Amino acid sequence: MSIDRDVTEKETVVIFDTTLRDGEQSPGATLNVEEKLEIARQLSRLGVDICEAGFPIASPGDFEAVRRIAEEVGPLTEGRKSGQPMVIAGLARAAERDIQRAYDAVKVAPRHRIHTFLATSDIHLEYKLKIDREECIDQAIAAVTFARSLCNDVEFSPEDAGRSDPDFLVQVLGEVIKAGATTLNIPDTVGYTTPEEFGGLIKYLRENTPGADKVVWSVHCHNDLGLATANTLAAVQNGARQVEVTINGIGERAGNTSLEEVAMAIQTRPQVFDVETNIDSTQITQASHMVSAYTGMMVQPNKAIVGANAFAHEAGIHQHGMLQNQETYEIMRPETVGLTASKLVLGKHSGKHAYKKRIEELGYSLPDDELRQAVNRLKRVADKKKTITDADIRAIVADELYRAPEIWKLLHVQVSSGDVLMPTATVHLKNENGEEFRDAALGTGPVDAVYQAISRIIGVKSSLVEYSINAVTEGLDAQAEASIRIEPANGETTYGVNPQTGRQYIRTYSGRGASTDVVVASARAYIHALNKLLSSREHDEDDSAAVEL
Ligand code: KIV
Ligand code: ZN
């Protein structure tokens, strides 16, 4: 006898993550290749279906990062609900050279995609591209035809669709479907639309574009009016089956739709959104911490899902309700997003194995040397603090992880300061050739004095554009985590390229450092940022072939 099950298969919404492409376009979010690889591995564990790994034509460095992600992360299936590896996508403007470069970067991944885009709004056609609508259609067809000659999985985006004439969009999209596009992505590039409008646009396009049923409809929203998540969800309710998102919502200007908000809305409100995703929500917190640490972009405490206060209950009346029944004030359990108290209590008596195990459980895959160093540092912190929490581990691991190439290393720092003394710092550094240098400097405060002394030794001029210091955990013995951003000064400036505007932007470099001493944490953060600046300068010299956009 067969059991009658009242189970209707839900449709899947494909999660397309663009943290490493649109997210990396956030001012100052420059990531090095090792950081990109580590984030891509975490996206794979998180269950992301498609990872847009970068914009390969932008520079040889960008190409190499996408290629390595395709090669090293592209085949991974471990822990993935779908059982399938991620699709690795590369972005390309609607030009053969771009498309070929994107294909060459992603082709080693078992599943790969070319994502090509061309603006369709009148304002972009007239002022940016200086072409008319007819030329726009011809370029779009040519781009998709060429991309399909290389690859079966081709996505086309009519940039600034949110401000494009819907009937012109119908025309362009009908043509690119004929040319072989398999996914049509509708971007609200400048975050202009409202949920009702954007949902209506998706419905209109699906109902009126010839061949609409042959493709997957996707959306890509920006958050300029704070509506990116609402617009994305309105699109899902109107038939979009791919959403383009980033971890923590990072991205151009006010950012992109945040992955965690969309995934948790779908998971928490199944009656409203009759779809599902392949996301393993318990990996969300780790992904959020990792992206924040590597990009140097702090998450606001009240940010939905991943903010430090997202599951904190302060008001007495709330706490009372929570004690009776958690559902009084909690619509999601913290564990569902991976926010768990460490099951293991670590302290100064814990062995190295216990530390290693917890680091791995938290999702880090450190090379042996760095793992050893992180464990040694944690043991030293445990000598000063009673217990080591996951937050301590994350701070030390993020601090230790991929500081390489360690062109300069901090050996010692000492400061004297106070209300009558002129703050003075002495620093002792070692370079990659093993040479050691000492210098001292005065400053307006102890951190300034340390930074002056470091700059004198290293000889790089830069200005500090952001500096923050946070306690990792509660209590007076807490570790401090310094997070900074610097901009090279006096002709030392390096540039990145924005694929949409074609404009160069000044690169800033983030650095982080953790220690139980705020001055040491600040010094480590500064050296980290300077090492990134110096190594990217080496790459930029190789990047002489960087494309003129
Ligand atoms: O915002 C945008 O239009 C984009 C496209 C390249 C999809 O990022
Ligand atoms: Zn975008």
Side-chain angles (χ1 to χ4, degrees):
M1 193 178 75
S2 70
I3 301 171
D4 231 2
R5 283 202 197 146
D6 184 22
V7 177
T8 35
E9 279 262 307
K10 286 194 170 194
E11 281 185 63
T12 301
V13 170
V14 170
I15 302 291
F16 176 114
D17 181 279
T18 183
T19 305
L20 297 176
R21 198 278 297 169
D22 219 332
E24 218 227 357
Q25 281 171 229
S26 316
T30 321
L31 297 162
N32 65 32
V33 67
E34 300 299 346
E35 290 167 333
K36 287 184 186 176
L37 278 162
E38 191 67 13
I39 290 174
R41 284 188 203 103
Q42 180 59 23
L43 295 177
S44 175
R45 282 189 286 267
L46 177 61
V48 159
D49 300 288
I50 300 160
C51 163
E52 186 165 55
F55 178 45
I57 195 133
S59 71
D62 286 64
F63 177 89
E64 191 51 18
V66 178
R67 197 196 61 73
R68 282 193 59 194
I69 290 170
E71 186 175 66
E72 295 173 37
V73 187
L76 303 179
T77 52
E78 205 187 316
R80 290 175 60 76
K81 195 154 73 170
S82 69
Q84 297 260 41
M86 283 196 299
V87 174
I88 308 298
L91 183 71
R93 289 165 307 174
E96 282 200 7
R97 208 161 60 110
D98 275 47
I99 294 169
Q100 183 68 52
R101 198 82 178 131
Y103 175 66
D104 290 340
V106 297
K107 68 184 178 196
V108 286
R111 302 173 74 213
H112 48 264
R113 168 179 295 188
I114 298 171
H115 176 195
T116 185
F117 72 99
L118 183 65
T120 46
S121 64
D122 289 334
I123 186 163
H124 277 231
L125 293 185
E126 185 177 344
Y127 294 101
K128 184 178 91 169
L129 300 175
K130 300 185 181 16
I131 57 172
D132 60 24
R133 287 185 173 193
E134 218 172 297
E135 287 169 288
C136 172
I137 294 181
D138 291 346
Q139 273 187 30
I141 296 173
V144 171
T145 307
F146 181 63
R148 268 310 295 262
S149 74
L150 302 171
C151 172
N152 286 333
D153 187 345
V154 172
E155 172 171 329
F156 175 78
S157 294
E159 190 192 3
D160 203 18
R163 291 189 301 169
S164 300
D165 169 5
D167 292 321
F168 180 53
L169 280 176
V170 163
Q171 241 183 308
V172 179
L173 297 173
E175 291 301 329
V176 297
I177 292 174
K178 276 197 256 160
T182 46
T183 296
L184 294 183
N185 176 48
I186 310 303
D188 182 15
T189 305
V190 291
Y192 181 69
T193 63
T194 63
E196 214 181 347
E197 262 177 338
F198 196 62
L201 176 65
I202 301 305
K203 184 170 189 291
Y204 183 79
L205 296 177
R206 290 184 56 235
E207 284 174 357
N208 292 282
T209 305
D213 55 333
K214 296 202 193 92
V215 292
V216 174
W217 288 85
S218 166
V219 290
H220 174 116
C221 297
H222 280 268
N223 204 28
D224 299 64
L225 294 173
L227 294 172
T229 298
N231 287 348
T232 299
L233 291 171
V236 168
Q237 287 175 312
N238 283 282
R241 289 296 174 263
Q242 174 179 294
V243 292
E244 302 203 351
V245 289
T246 60
I247 303 291
N248 299 337
I250 65 167
E252 281 272 25
R253 307 179 308 280
N256 288 63
T257 307
S258 90
L259 181 149
E260 59 278 7
E261 291 175 13
V262 172
M264 290 315 291
I266 291 175
Q267 186 166 317
T268 309
R269 301 302 309 276
Q271 299 83 356
V272 179
F273 305 105
D274 192 21
V275 290
E276 59 189 9
T277 73
N278 286 319
I279 291 296
D280 172 356
S281 62
T282 63
Q283 294 291 332
I284 285 177
T285 298
Q286 176 59 10
S288 167
H289 282 293
M290 198 180 268
V291 168
S292 168
Y294 294 176
T295 57
M297 300 184 71
M298 294 287 175
V299 175
Q300 75 195 55
N302 58 326
K303 163 87 178 64
I305 320 293
V306 291
N309 296 346
F311 292 91
H313 300 273
E314 191 73 26
I317 189 169
H318 287 202
Q319 288 172 351
H320 176 74
M322 288 283 293
L323 289 175
Q324 311 301 313
N325 181 340
Q326 282 163 332
E327 283 180 25
T328 48
Y329 286 102
E330 215 164 55
I331 58 165
M332 296 165 272
R333 296 292 306 130
E335 303 82 72
T336 55
V337 299
L339 203 61
T340 46
S342 171
K343 281 170 240 116
L344 215 61
V345 178
L346 296 171
K348 68 177 180 184
H349 300 299
S350 309
K352 292 191 174 180
H353 264 78
Y355 282 101
K356 273 192 193 159
K357 187 162 171 277
R358 189 63 194 152
I359 290 172
E360 279 159 8
E361 277 170 3
L362 287 175
Y364 293 102
S365 48
L366 273 75
D368 283 351
D369 256 13
E370 282 164 26
L371 184 60
R372 207 171 313 116
Q373 286 212 61
V375 171
N376 287 341
R377 275 188 67 189
L378 281 163
K379 294 225 19 131
R380 284 201 297 275
V381 174
D383 281 338
K384 298 185 187 160
K385 270 179 106 231
K386 262 204 228 104
T387 50
I388 297 292
T389 65
D390 286 351
D392 288 310
I393 297 179
R394 283 196 177 102
I396 294 278
V397 172
D399 185 34
E400 209 51 62
L401 200 65
Y402 302 124
R403 300 185 76 84
E406 257 197 316
I407 300 171
W408 288 93
K409 194 176 163 72
L410 177 73
L411 295 180
H412 300 293
V413 55
Q414 199 177 333
V415 291
S416 58
S417 67
D419 55 357
V420 281
L421 280 178
M422 186 80 180
T424 316
T426 313
V427 296
H428 182 182
L429 306 184
K430 184 161 98 178
N431 69 14
E432 57 192 339
N433 305 321
E435 296 161 312
E436 295 186 20
F437 298 81
R438 284 185 183 79
D439 210 335
L442 300 173
T444 51
V447 173
D448 183 47
V450 170
Y451 284 14
Q452 302 284 351
I454 292 174
S455 301
R456 275 165 58 152
I457 296 178
I458 298 185
V460 173
K461 295 193 177 61
S462 66
S463 51
L464 191 62
V465 286
E466 223 172 272
Y467 172 85
S468 70
I469 189 114
N470 286 300
V472 173
T473 47
E474 283 147 28
L476 286 174
D477 62 352
Q479 282 201 93
E481 193 170 38
S483 190
I484 68 161
R485 196 184 303 286
I486 59 169
E487 188 180 297
N490 297 355
E492 310 228 25
T493 318
T494 55
Y495 298 94
V497 184
N498 180 317
Q500 276 149 279
T501 59
R503 273 200 225 112
Q504 287 189 322
Y505 58 88
I506 296 177
R507 278 193 196 277
T508 58
Y509 297 87
S510 62
R512 57 182 180 270
S515 170
T516 44
D517 183 306
V518 289
V519 173
V520 178
S522 305
R524 292 184 65 87
Y526 191 45
I527 302 239
H528 184 210
L530 286 171
N531 278 336
K532 275 188 171 177
L533 188 162
L534 292 169
S535 76
S536 95
R537 202 195 272 165
E538 277 166 23
H539 281 128
D540 282 352
E541 276 156 23
D542 303 342
D543 277 6
S544 46
V547 71
E548 242 185 51
L549 292 164

